[in-house]
Amino acid sequence: MARRRRIYEGKAKVLYEGPEPGTIVQYFKDDASAFNAQKTGVISGKGVLNNRISEYVMLRLNEIGIPTHFVRRLNMREQLVHEVEIIPLEVVVRNVAAGTMSQRLGIEEGTPLPRSIVEFYYKNDDLSDPLVTEEHITAFGWATPQDLDDMMALALRVNDFMVGLFLGVDIRLVDFKLEFGRWYDDNDYMRILLADEITPDSCRLWDIKTNEKLDKDRFRRDMGNVEEAYQEVARRLGILPDAGPQDLKGTKSIN
């Protein structure tokens, strides 16, 4: 196989030039980081599980008409996605107080919110991804008012769907992070697409009965059993690889 051009490497994924014009190969790593990379580590098999979980959720979202960058899964660690111009914002949807919201506002973690709350964060590692307002976003040109309307509407639709999806497997969707990108079709028509991933790396997922954490908070807070938590999410969704947890290392990317 010809050597592929590496475009970008982030904390959890590597992006390679795709086999077709306008596509990217997204490779999921086992690397984990928290607190703006102040804490790093490896979660064995995480890349395989996140690839499968994100594929599953993106396909389900496509089925209900939510446009995503996902094209198809290539192997255990890689998927083909549309190349998009990433909007430099993280869109966080919160259903239950947790994490930085609890710290910022003094709300006890686990408190249900009166309604789902959408927050925007400026994607900038040097600034630790600060919380920003719509005024900041439009004033500095990170997104247009129409972009924001589209992102907000899509984020709330994703939330409505995923709350039900996870509730059906006895998991509470506490909050999650989304990223969006601008995609131009052959006629140069621009659409906002859901990009990046939807996995236990980007969601807070709690068992509905015990509030046991089934997400990256287990890594952030040194709770242990991180691999088992990710496997449990995949198992409940019915997508744990048939080979079983012992084979989750999967195939390596060919550069």
Side-chain angles (χ1 to χ4, degrees):
M1 182 181 293
R3 184 176 180 85
R4 295 178 301 181
R5 182 169 68 90
R6 182 180 304 205
I7 297 172
Y8 171 79
E9 181 166 0
K11 302 181 185 79
K13 292 184 293 297
V14 184
L15 303 182
Y16 296 97
E17 187 175 57
E20 305 154 17
T23 63
I24 297 289
V25 173
Q26 186 167 257
Y27 173 86
F28 288 79
K29 303 193 294 185
D30 285 348
D31 296 0
S33 66
F35 312 118
N36 199 27
Q38 294 179 29
K39 178 179 181 178
T40 59
V42 174
I43 302 173
S44 180
K46 176 175 79 78
V48 174
L49 289 166
N50 280 353
N51 185 24
R52 296 295 301 273
I53 292 169
S54 194
E55 172 200 22
Y56 178 83
V57 176
M58 292 286 187
L59 284 173
R60 297 292 300 275
L61 291 172
N62 283 338
E63 289 172 0
I64 64 169
I66 293 176
T68 79
H69 73 161
F70 181 82
V71 178
R72 65 180 181 271
R73 182 167 60 87
L74 298 174
N75 54 50
M76 290 181 73
R77 287 188 179 271
E78 295 179 325
Q79 54 185 235
L80 188 69
V81 300
H82 291 296
E83 183 176 13
V84 299
E85 175 192 323
I86 290 290
I87 296 170
L89 298 169
E90 294 180 349
V91 182
V92 175
V93 183
R94 300 183 183 274
N95 301 305
V96 178
T100 56
M101 168 175 269
S102 292
Q103 297 164 13
R104 253 191 351 256
L105 303 180
I107 303 173
E108 183 179 358
E109 187 161 87
T111 302
L113 299 175
R115 62 177 177 83
S116 299
I117 293 176
V118 179
E119 298 175 337
F120 295 98
Y121 294 81
Y122 177 45
K123 278 175 58 65
N124 187 310
D125 287 343
D126 293 339
L127 301 176
S128 300
D129 302 332
L131 177 69
V132 293
T133 67
E134 294 182 28
E135 288 293 320
H136 294 118
I137 294 166
T138 55
F140 294 117
W142 300 327
T144 67
Q146 185 60 57
D147 291 339
L148 284 175
D149 287 346
D150 291 346
M151 292 161 64
M152 178 85 76
L154 287 170
L156 290 173
R157 285 183 63 197
V158 171
N159 184 54
D160 287 345
F161 174 79
M162 293 212 315
V163 164
L165 174 71
F166 284 112
L167 188 60
V169 293
D170 292 329
I171 293 175
R172 176 179 290 111
L173 179 63
V174 173
D175 58 39
F176 61 97
K177 172 185 74 71
L178 299 176
E179 295 189 26
F180 293 91
R182 300 182 183 94
W183 177 69
Y184 297 86
D185 66 16
D186 293 337
N187 298 316
D188 219 27
Y189 175 76
M190 191 275 288
R191 295 183 70 190
I192 300 292
L193 300 188
L194 177 62
D196 197 41
E197 65 179 270
I198 296 179
T199 68
D201 272 9
S202 60
C203 304
R204 280 194 173 88
L205 304 169
W206 295 357
D207 180 86
I208 201 76
K209 297 175 183 175
T210 66
N211 283 333
E212 180 183 8
K213 293 175 174 58
L214 302 172
D215 54 65
K216 200 168 76 169
D217 268 351
R218 300 197 71 87
F219 171 76
R220 292 187 187 98
R221 304 181 185 187
D222 296 315
M223 300 174 70
N225 297 323
V226 185
E227 296 92 340
E228 292 81 358
Y230 281 56
Q231 290 168 16
E232 179 64 12
V233 173
R235 185 191 67 76
R236 293 195 193 187
L237 292 174
I239 54 177
L240 187 65
D242 293 338
Q246 71 274 13
D247 291 332
L248 289 177
K249 291 184 179 180
T251 55
K252 291 188 177 181
S253 171
I254 301 175
N255 298 339

